[in-house]
Amino acid sequence: MLPVAEPMAYSNLPAPVYRGKVRDTYDLGDRLLIVATDRISALDVVLPTPIPGKGKVLTMLSAWWFERISGVVPNHFIAVITAENRSAVPFELGPEYYGRSMLVRKAQRLDAECIVRGYLSGSGWKEYRETGMVCGLRLPEGLRESDRLLEPIFTPSTKATEGHDRNITYEELARLVGAEAANAMRIRSLAVYGYAHTVALERGIIIADTKFEFGWWNEEVILIDEVLTPDSSRFWLANEYRPGGPQPSLDKQPVRDWLAAHWREGEPAPELPPDVVEATTERYLRAYRMLTGEELSL
């Protein structure tokens, strides 16, 4: 039986806020407070049913990674807000915010998503079957779904606030954000993926692909947003990896599968049944447990 936690679908704090699909970002002047709610999005829609504990997993796992990759690339992480350091925030926070709220440096976001693929899956697999390429990069012939690539590839996309992101070439990225920023985003994305893939594999998880976001801070391109979570990454179980088809994953696949069977694009987003909610929470907690070696109290 999973631990019971009251889910947080929306936060409500006394500061200017931007609400994304999952995160509520509060402007504190030179810093931001990012509250990871328990909202879940899949197939480009935000669902009305929250996933208990999801926001805490995203925050705590991102913090775990940020602390480890700070020697690889600079990032915006300052601290996770807890009962001990709540005075770092200029207003009162209830205990429901502890562990799901992250204080970060305020960077100027670069409006593109940086996807690194070490394996051929998802939209990359679909594009490869149609063209033999992924985001303008020609790949060897004869690859199967979920095959490991000879080396990780950098495949950026647009960042859509609603609807579908669109895969773009590196040249399109450079036109979008500038040559200097694009170069830093590519180099740093590949560096973080290479480090993280090694760390995760030692713990029994394959990071098939992942998404990073970057921003300008103090005239430098730094890593922002979340990092290497089940929301932003495709986590596979290493001991069950069998290329040639889809892989068992530790992410929101139960939600995607249920939507694919019960919902059509253009219809109102449906409520999720309890068994799908519980299966999704369990996958997020398992990913956290395998990577960090710790149990997360919800």
Side-chain angles (χ1 to χ4, degrees):
M1 188 73 176
L2 289 171
V4 177
E6 185 68 28
M8 178 187 287
Y10 288 92
S11 65
N12 184 22
L13 297 172
V17 61
Y18 167 78
R19 297 192 192 277
K21 291 178 179 177
V22 173
R23 287 169 179 73
D24 297 340
T25 301
Y26 292 88
D27 192 334
L28 306 183
D30 64 338
R31 296 180 176 185
L32 300 173
L33 183 71
I34 301 178
V35 179
T37 71
D38 294 326
R39 297 192 296 269
I40 190 165
S41 68
L43 305 184
D44 296 318
V45 294
V46 179
L47 300 168
T49 312
I51 304 296
K54 175 176 175 285
K56 193 168 184 180
V57 172
L58 298 183
T59 297
M60 297 300 292
L61 188 55
S62 286
W64 188 85
W65 280 114
F66 276 130
E67 290 173 346
R68 281 156 181 76
I69 63 179
S70 60
V72 181
V73 302
N75 62 69
H76 71 164
F77 176 70
I78 297 175
V80 173
I81 300 301
T82 65
E84 288 69 33
N85 68 357
R86 63 187 185 276
S87 61
V89 178
F91 41 75
E92 190 67 27
L93 286 180
E96 67 271 21
Y97 287 93
Y98 301 160
R100 68 165 69 243
S101 304
M102 183 183 294
L103 191 65
V104 302
R105 299 172 181 87
K106 185 179 180 180
Q108 180 184 350
R109 192 182 74 182
L110 289 157
D111 285 327
E113 297 194 337
C114 298
I115 300 163
V116 179
R117 305 175 191 272
Y119 298 74
L120 192 57
S121 187
S123 64
W125 166 242
K126 180 181 177 181
E127 186 178 348
Y128 172 78
R129 282 186 301 166
E130 294 171 352
T131 68
M133 298 189 294
V134 179
C135 293
L137 300 174
R138 176 69 61 182
L139 298 183
E141 294 181 2
L143 293 178
R144 301 165 297 172
E145 183 177 7
S146 304
D147 266 341
R148 186 171 184 175
L149 302 175
L150 292 177
E151 58 183 13
I153 58 174
F154 177 74
T155 60
S157 76
T158 59
K159 181 172 176 60
T161 54
E162 294 182 2
H164 301 279
D165 296 331
R166 180 177 62 85
N167 289 347
I168 58 177
T169 65
Y170 176 76
E171 289 71 26
E172 289 176 294
L173 174 68
R175 288 195 292 271
L176 185 64
V177 302
E180 180 183 356
N183 185 53
M185 292 162 84
R186 176 170 61 180
I187 291 172
R188 291 183 166 177
S189 294
L190 290 167
V192 175
Y193 177 83
Y195 169 82
H197 184 270
T198 300
V199 170
L201 199 57
E202 292 171 349
R203 291 159 168 80
I205 288 178
I206 291 171
I207 304 176
D209 53 54
T210 192
K211 170 187 72 69
F212 301 117
E213 294 190 31
F214 291 87
W216 284 107
W217 183 76
N218 274 4
E219 300 183 352
E220 185 172 22
V221 174
I222 68 169
L223 188 61
I224 65 170
D225 196 58
E226 66 176 331
V227 64
L228 297 159
T229 71
D231 264 19
S232 66
S233 312
R234 205 180 305 265
F235 289 158
W236 293 340
L237 295 168
N239 63 354
E240 297 184 24
Y241 173 60
R242 303 289 186 275
Q247 305 297 308
S249 59
L250 296 177
D251 56 20
K252 51 190 168 186
Q253 197 61 46
V255 175
R256 295 191 194 101
D257 291 345
W258 188 86
L259 282 177
H262 297 88
W263 174 81
R264 288 183 297 180
E265 187 171 355
E267 294 178 346
E271 293 280 355
L272 296 172
D275 61 320
V276 172
V277 172
E278 184 166 331
T280 305
T281 295
E282 175 54 38
R283 288 189 182 211
Y284 277 68
L285 287 171
R286 186 179 181 189
Y288 182 88
R289 185 168 59 246
M290 288 182 68
L291 285 168
T292 68
E294 301 173 358
E295 293 286 347
L296 185 62
S297 172
L298 299 182

